[in-house]
Amino acid sequence: MSKQWTRRAAIKALGIGAGSALFPFSSHAVDENGNVIVLPSPEELSALDNPITAITLGAGNRGNVYGGYALNYPGQLDIVGVAEPIPVRNERYAQKHAIKDENRFKTWEDVFKRPKFADAVIISTPDRLHYGPCMKALEMGYDILLEKPISPSEKECRDILALAKKSGRIVAVCHVLRYAPYFVKMKELMHDGAIGDIISVQHLEPIQYTHMSHSYVRGNWHNSKETTPIILAKSCHDLDILRWMINKPCRNIQAFGDLKWFTKANAPAGSTERCMDGCKIEPTCPYSALRIYHRNRERTYVFDLPIEKEKQGDYILQQLRTTNYGRCVYRMDNDQPDHYVTTIKFDDNITASFSMEAFTPAEGRKTRVMGSMGYIEGDMTAFKALDFRTGKEQEFKQETDAHGGGDYRLVANWIQAVSKHDPSLLTSTIDQSIESHIMGFMAERSRLEGKIMDIKM
Ligand SMILES: NC(=O)c1ccc[n+]([C@@H]2O[C@H](COP(=O)([O-])OP(=O)(O)OC[C@H]3O[C@@H](n4cnc5c(N)ncnc54)[C@H](O)[C@@H]3O)[C@@H](O)[C@H]2O)c1
C-alpha cells in the first residue's frame, strides 16, 4: 500500500461516498501535511510475512486491550514477552500468549538487561513509568506503542520526542480517538468545506459519575501528584482531538475547575471510613463500593477476580475491606478536579471550549462545530452536518465502544508503520501528540495560577 495516496484514489479504493449514511468500515485520515493516510482496519491489514513481535510492559487493563489484538490477529502481532510485577497478571498474560518462561519479567528494567529480542515494546505501565522504559527502548532500537500520557512531566515529554527523532524509531502514542471513524469523518467534513470556514468548536467529555469515583477518587489516578493531573490523565484525548480536528497550532489556553464534591467536608452524617463499616447512608449512596463492585459487579476488572464464579463475591468483599476501592469517596486522599473547563484559541482566531464533567449519567463525547456555512453536532454514536447553503442535513452513524472503535485501528496503523519501518505512516505521530500534551500542561498551570497561558512549542 503506498503511503501517500491522492485523496481521490483513497476514497475510491475505500468506497467512501460523500453521501454515505454509515461510516465505512475502513476509513482514511490526513496527516499534518494534508496527505491522505490509509488507516487499515485490522481485518484489511494484509497478512505480513512474519507478525510483528512485541514485549508488553504492564499487563493490566490496557496491556490486555493490545494483547487482545494479538490474540485476534496472530498473523500481525505476536506477544513474545511480558514485564508485570503482579504475579496473577503475569501468569495469566503469559498463558494467553504462550510466552516462554525466560521472557517473563517482574519489572520493565529487567527486559532491557537482555539484548533486544523483539521488534517492539508496548508501554502500558502506570503514567510515571513511561519515561524510563521509553528512553531505554529507543536507545536499544525497539519500536514503541506508547500509552498516553507520554509522561506527566513536560521535560520528559520533550526528551522522548528528541530521542525518538534522533533514533528514527517508530513511536505511536495511544491517542485512540484519532482512529475512530466518527472523528475521522468529522475532521474530513471540517476540512472539505462542507460547513465553510471553521469558526469555533464546543466539546464536552462526560466522565460518568461512577467512572469518576472509580478512577479519580478511589482508583489509580486519585492523586494528581503521584500520577497525572486529570486534564492529562483523562482529557488529553480531548485536547488532542480538538488540536487534530482543527489542524492549526494552539496559541492560548485558560482553565478553571476544582474538586468540589468528593471532599471530607461533604461526608454525610453517619458515613464511615469504609462502605462496609456500617455506613448509615450506604443503601442510598450512588458511590457505595458495595453497590458498584459487589451488588452491580461493575468495574471489577481491577481485582483480578478468581476464575471460579462462586468464589468471586467473597473475593470482592475482601478487596473492599483492604484496598482503596472499599473506602468512602468523601474520605480519600484525592485531589483531582471533578469539573474542569478550558477556553482555547487556535491560529486564525478559531476558538474552542472544552468541559470535562464528572457528574453525568453516561460516558462518551459530545461535539459541536460552528462553521461559516454550516454546523455539525454529534455524540460519538452519530453526528449531523447541516449545510446552511442548501438546508440539507446529512447524518453519520457509528456503532461504537467508548473509544469509537479506535483501539484496534490504532494498533493496525502502528503495525503497518513498524512492518514498513516508516514513521510517516502513523496518524498519531509523537510530534503532534506532544503538542496536545503541552496544551494540557498549560491548562493545568492556568487553573492553578489563574493566568491565560501561551502555548510555545
Ligand atoms: N489510551 C487510553 O485510552 C487509555 C485508557 C486508560 C489508561 N491509559 C493509560 O495506560 C496506562 C496503563 O493504564 P491501565 O488502565 O492499563 O492501568 P493498570 O493499572 O490496569 O495497568 C498497569 C500495569 O502496569 C504494571 N506495572 C507497575 N509497575 C510496573 C513495572 N515496574 N514494570 C512493569 N509493569 C508494571 C501494574 O502492575 C499494572 O498491572 C496508563 O498510563 C494509563 O494512563 C490509556
Side-chain angles (χ1 to χ4, degrees), residues 59-61 64 84 86-90 92 210 213-215 218-220 274-276 287-308 311-327:
N61 175 23
N64 275 283
E84 167 58 56
I86 298 178
V88 63
R89 292 189 182 178
N90 192 310
R92 286 179 181 175
T210 59
S213 67
H214 173 77
S215 294
R218 294 181 167 118
N220 280 352
R274 286 182 182 270
C275 302
M276 295 173 74
Y287 307 105
S288 156
L290 282 165
R291 176 203 288 232
I292 296 170
Y293 303 111
H294 192 250
R295 294 199 287 277
N296 293 352
R297 299 290 160 97
E298 290 166 11
R299 305 183 191 280
T300 52
Y301 60 88
V302 288
F303 299 134
D304 303 306
L305 294 180
I307 308 291
E308 302 88 339
K311 293 189 182 161
Q312 292 180 353
D314 284 348
Y315 185 82
I316 293 170
L317 292 179
Q318 184 217 329
Q319 295 289 308
L320 298 189
R321 277 186 208 103
T322 53
T323 69
N324 279 344
Y325 292 107
R327 287 175 63 187

Side-chain angles (χ1 to χ4, degrees), residues 57-63 66 83-86 89 106-109 124-127 129-130 147-149 174 176 220-221 233 237 403 407:
L57 313 181
N61 175 23
R62 299 302 295 174
Y66 302 122
E84 167 58 56
I86 298 178
R89 292 189 182 178
K106 276 203 182 122
T107 173
W108 66 266
E109 287 94 335
S124 44
T125 37
D127 301 354
L129 298 182
H130 290 184
E147 255 310 350
K148 46 70 23 187
C174 296
V176 291
N220 280 352
W221 296 273
H237 284 308
H403 288 156
D407 286 339

